[in-house]
Amino acid sequence: MRIEQPTDEALKEAAAAIRAGRLIGMPTETVYGVAADATNPEAVLATFEAKGRPAENPLIVHVASIEDARRLVSGFPAYALTLAEMYWPGPMTLVLPKGPQVPPETTAGLETVAVRVPDHPVALRLIAASGRPISAPSANRFMGLSPTSAEDIEPSVGDRLHMVLDGGRCRVGIESTVVDCTGDRPLVLRPGMAAIATEAAAPSDRRSPGMYPRHYSPRSPLRIVESLGARDAGITLKVPQNPLQIRLPSEPVAYASELYATLHLLDRCKPPEILVEAPPTSQDWAAIWDRLRKAQGS
Ligand code: TXA
Ligand code: MG
């Protein structure tokens, strides 16, 4: 796996690679993604293969502006436009009726397409330099933990990439909010740190093909507990009692930002189990609870 600083030269090479149908490790403000030309079916299929991901789970297409998003869709309801204006660039993905420019491979045959404008200078430069809409699922093996730094991309995925552009640590730290915008009202398919107050889809909702009960998991089993014991390995909100306990901030934005990096770190120590102290249950922790529950497999 080749990690490069995002110099003009590296960006130019990465953009040419995207246009040639290859895969690039791309930083975003949420997590790192496997970037490809979203209009190239072969590149998109290579993305699924690199992740070991079933081809029935559609990809998010990353663009630079609302105008660019409009070119990929066949409709943009007023409430969705409001969301785009409020949150883009940012961790908000909108599912909209698909236009003919998007091949069925990218959307797993669905008549909708997920789009967002990422809030990361390197991602925006790659989109601009390649002149293509860029599909990018999180750069982890299927069901695994998303990477929030270039170093946390597993070799099995990294080896499939032409290069990884190093954009530093991802600021948000968990994946974007996914909102279905094909009905009368927005419907949250995947909660994220861009929180909007609306209905959430039921896990069995056919509109959310990516909602597997187990997901975002470290290799060691993860369990949510009230409190860590003196010898446990895991994440605490209190004073750590041994070197395999890591304290995370008791504020959700800062907690989310460090969550996956901390789980990657603990996972590398191969503890029999990773225990995570239950964070508060208020609404501003909902996206974190979603990821913890999925990591636990419940
Ligand atoms: O923050 C993020 O969203 C990151 C960065 C790289 O942008 N990407 C990401 O992609 O998390 P991925 O592929 O790991 O997750 C995309 C989610 C999946 O749950 C997928 O099912 C859902 O978005 N999705 C994509 N297209 C969809 C569509 N047309 N309808 C419903 N859900 C869709
Ligand atoms: Mg993912």
Side-chain angles (χ1 to χ4, degrees):
M1 172 164 95
R2 198 176 125 213
I3 301 177
E4 294 284 348
Q5 289 308 303
T7 59
D8 287 348
E9 200 185 341
L11 254 304
K12 205 170 147 194
E13 182 185 336
I18 291 284
R19 283 195 300 269
R22 309 176 87 152
L23 309 178
I24 295 290
M26 177 179 79
T28 79
E29 81 282 28
T30 58
V31 301
Y32 276 69
V34 176
D37 177 353
T39 64
N40 178 338
E42 275 157 42
V44 167
L45 290 176
T47 309
F48 286 104
E49 212 184 86
K51 280 178 61 79
R53 169 166 166 162
E56 86 233 9
N57 194 356
L59 305 181
I60 295 174
V61 181
H62 299 68
V63 293
S65 65
I66 293 180
E67 276 327 295
D68 290 353
R70 275 188 189 286
R71 285 188 204 108
L72 302 177
V73 304
S74 61
F76 216 130
Y79 71 80
L81 205 52
T82 306
L83 288 175
E85 279 162 356
M86 280 177 67
Y87 289 101
W88 287 356
M92 168 65 69
T93 295
L94 305 178
V95 174
L96 293 160
K98 166 182 124 50
Q101 305 84 334
V102 185
E105 287 79 4
T106 309
T107 64
L110 296 178
E111 284 307 313
T112 56
V113 61
V115 282
R116 81 178 189 101
V117 178
D119 187 15
H120 195 293
V122 176
L124 292 171
R125 282 165 70 199
L126 184 61
I127 294 165
S130 65
R132 300 282 202 279
I134 289 185
S135 55
S138 51
N140 50 274
R141 293 287 298 172
F142 179 55
M143 309 269 253
L145 264 186
S146 299
T148 53
S149 65
E151 296 75 25
D152 282 347
I153 299 177
E154 265 186 60
S156 69
V157 177
D159 291 346
R160 309 292 192 97
L161 307 175
H162 179 72
M163 69 163 84
V164 179
L165 291 168
D166 191 349
R169 198 50 115 63
C170 302
R171 174 175 56 82
V172 176
I174 66 174
E175 303 81 358
S176 62
T177 307
V178 178
V179 182
D180 179 274
C181 298
T182 60
D184 296 340
R185 280 176 269 123
L187 187 69
V188 175
L189 301 180
R190 177 175 74 182
M193 296 310 285
I196 64 165
T198 60
E199 263 174 282
S204 58
D205 195 308
R206 60 175 178 77
R207 277 172 293 197
S208 45
M211 287 177 119
Y212 304 96
R214 188 182 164 87
H215 208 150
Y216 313 113
S217 299
R219 288 177 192 279
S220 296
L222 181 150
R223 195 153 56 88
I224 305 167
V225 295
E226 257 333 292
S227 210
L228 295 191
R231 310 171 72 139
D232 294 333
I235 294 178
T236 179
L237 296 162
K238 310 186 199 94
V239 179
Q241 307 166 76
N242 73 56
L244 280 181
Q245 295 191 0
I246 297 176
R247 182 181 198 162
L248 286 190
S250 49
E251 185 281 311
V253 173
Y255 184 106
S257 170
E258 293 177 36
L259 175 61
Y260 288 168
T262 305
L263 289 175
H264 275 289
L265 185 72
L266 288 167
D267 217 19
R268 278 196 281 272
C269 302
K270 300 192 167 66
E273 233 184 353
I274 296 174
L275 302 187
V276 178
E277 271 177 12
T281 51
S282 51
Q283 194 50 38
D284 46 354
W285 290 84
I288 292 163
W289 270 102
D290 172 77
R291 303 309 191 274
L292 290 177
R293 286 204 187 92
K294 284 176 179 152
Q296 179 179 252
S298 69

